[in-house]
Amino acid sequence: MWPFSRKRRSVKRNYAGAQGGRLTNDWVSQGTSADSEIRNSLRILRNRARALVRDSDFAKAALRAVKNNVVGQGIKHQAQVRMIRGGRLDERLNSLIEHEFKKWGKAENCHAGGTLSFAQIQQLCLNSMIESGEVFVRLVRQTFGQSRVPIGLEVIESDLLDDDYTGFESNGNRVRMGVEVDEWNRPVAYHFLNYHPGDYQFTNNVIAKKRRTRIPASEIIHLYSVDRPGQTRGVTAFASAIMRLNNLKGYEEAEIIAARASSAMMGFVRTP
């Protein structure tokens, strides 16, 4: 034994990123769920992202680059039907399918409104996913235009889904920001407003009160990027860059004003 007793010190082990101190006292982090964070910020983030795309050439260029590289002029359909005997591609049948699909892809046939071709619908959907965070496509099961195919596409902006509608339906399903889900968090229906909440210049205010239409999930394609488990709504891809882009805009404006003020300074020399 040692002639003296040594007091054992207890050492606390922790992640460096979880340690406190004067440099991290103002770092507020909460253990909220994905939907809780989205609900408080969804509308503001969406509107600010749209404002940036309208006014910031950096945001506009980034959006255009992603759209051109992912969708381009539209993703074409290529049929791959094979023959029963031999397993070779059926060239005649594949050509017929591609021809009919191309004919359906015209604006008057595939779009419920008759103004967007299938390629333009793809571009608009990707554009809305990045800028607004999500977009909805409704499958309208009827013929449009000259098409004999009983299907049309309606593109629905994310503003029309009632963000404020959260609670329980009479059938026991939960509603999370306009999305009705069952016990497994599977979408059952979507509750859309009958009028766009920002279309106040063209809508009677009395009619435009919050009236909703319940559309089954089987008719809706909800396009958004899932970042966390249990996430019900989509968030704009510009969410983490909104503050920096806005500050950059203000910085450039201040620099330009300072340069203009500096260039406008003049001096005069007077002689007797």
Side-chain angles (χ1 to χ4, degrees), residues 219-249:
E219 299 181 12
I220 297 294
I221 300 175
H222 187 187
L223 299 174
Y224 70 105
S225 178
V226 180
D227 301 316
R228 292 180 58 183
Q231 180 178 336
T232 307
R233 300 290 300 271
V235 179
T236 171
F238 291 103
S240 59
I242 283 178
M243 294 299 295
R244 178 173 294 184
L245 288 173
N246 186 61
N247 291 336
L248 181 61
K249 174 186 173 184

Side-chain angles (χ1 to χ4, degrees), residues 5-229:
S5 63
R6 179 179 294 177
K7 190 175 181 180
R8 192 170 183 180
R9 297 173 58 188
S10 61
V11 180
K12 272 188 165 183
R13 307 187 111 186
N14 203 349
Y15 286 97
Q19 293 178 357
R22 60 185 181 83
L23 298 178
T24 57
N25 285 336
D26 60 342
W27 191 343
V28 180
S29 56
Q30 299 176 349
T32 51
S33 66
D35 281 351
S36 295
E37 293 180 355
I38 291 173
R39 186 184 182 188
N40 297 328
S41 309
L42 179 62
R43 198 171 300 169
I44 297 175
L45 285 175
R46 187 169 59 209
N47 294 337
R48 287 180 178 178
R50 290 173 181 168
L52 280 177
V53 172
R54 286 194 302 265
D55 302 330
S56 171
D57 50 348
F58 294 107
K60 190 74 172 180
L63 182 61
R64 186 186 302 114
V66 174
K67 184 170 62 175
N68 291 341
N69 284 279
V70 174
V71 175
Q73 297 302 315
I75 300 173
K76 304 289 191 299
H77 174 66
Q78 185 175 13
Q80 297 286 326
V81 179
R82 296 184 179 273
M83 295 181 176
I84 298 177
R85 293 183 179 180
R88 293 184 295 107
L89 291 175
D90 192 335
E91 299 293 342
R92 185 190 64 82
L93 183 57
N94 288 332
S95 298
L96 179 61
I97 293 174
E98 291 172 6
H99 173 73
E100 292 297 324
F101 189 87
K102 184 178 180 181
K103 188 165 64 174
W104 174 82
K106 294 181 179 180
E108 61 177 359
N109 298 329
C110 71
H111 185 222
T115 58
L116 298 173
S117 66
F118 186 59
Q120 291 172 325
I121 289 176
Q122 296 176 48
Q123 295 170 352
L124 179 60
C125 287
L126 182 61
N127 189 91
S128 300
M129 277 186 63
I130 299 171
E131 182 183 40
S132 302
E134 59 187 348
V135 67
F136 303 89
V137 180
R138 184 179 184 182
L139 305 177
V140 184
R141 305 184 190 281
Q142 69 177 66
T143 58
F144 290 94
Q146 304 298 321
S147 175
R148 294 178 298 175
V149 181
I151 191 72
L153 305 177
E154 180 189 9
V155 183
I156 304 176
E157 197 169 37
S158 56
D159 303 59
L160 282 165
L161 192 65
D162 194 353
D163 304 332
D164 298 328
Y165 185 33
T166 298
F168 290 89
E169 285 285 283
S170 58
N171 55 11
N173 292 334
R174 293 174 300 165
V175 181
R176 306 172 73 90
M177 293 176 287
V179 182
E180 183 180 336
V181 297
D182 61 11
E183 57 180 335
W184 299 104
N185 216 32
R186 179 187 291 262
V188 176
Y190 294 85
H191 296 261
F192 290 99
L193 298 172
N194 293 344
Y195 298 92
H196 195 292
D199 198 27
Y200 55 87
Q201 295 185 2
F202 305 96
T203 306
N204 189 337
N205 292 330
V206 178
I207 300 176
K209 287 183 179 179
K210 295 214 167 183
R211 298 179 181 175
R212 296 184 295 266
T213 300
R214 182 182 184 272
I215 301 177
S218 58
E219 299 181 12
I220 297 294
I221 300 175
H222 187 187
L223 299 174
Y224 70 105
S225 178
V226 180
D227 301 316
R228 292 180 58 183

